[in-house]
Amino acid sequence: MEYNMAQTLFKAAGLTPENADALKDAGMAIAGVRWVNINNDNVVVTHDDSFDADAFVSALRNADGSVSVSKG
């Protein structure tokens, strides 16, 4: 069985090594998310069709209010 997962790029400001794990954990808790990769100012989300980008952005902002996230 083959699965095709979509990926969405977000841009983030205020990412640090100290907050990256908390942000990844918050993003992974969103329905439809399969993987979150944070690198520099890029946040790449691998997800299925049930993914809600607004809920993802909100979860990251709630995890660390100093981080600004927008769809890339």
Side-chain angles (χ1 to χ4, degrees):
M1 183 182 290
E2 183 177 326
Y3 293 99
N4 292 317
M5 294 282 170
Q7 290 188 322
T8 302
L9 172 65
F10 294 86
K11 292 292 188 177
L15 294 173
T16 67
E18 291 77 27
N19 66 14
D21 285 340
L23 294 169
K24 181 177 178 180
D25 290 345
M28 290 293 295
I30 300 302
V33 172
R34 298 295 176 235
W35 187 253
V36 177
N37 184 347
I38 298 175
N39 187 358
N40 298 322
D41 64 346
N42 296 309
V43 179
V44 179
V45 183
T46 303
H47 56 84
D48 63 25
D49 292 340
S50 67
F51 176 64
D52 181 342
D54 292 334
F56 180 82
V57 169
S58 181
L60 267 59
R61 287 181 182 153
N62 288 337
D64 188 323
S66 69
V67 175
S68 171
V69 182
S70 60
K71 198 167 178 185

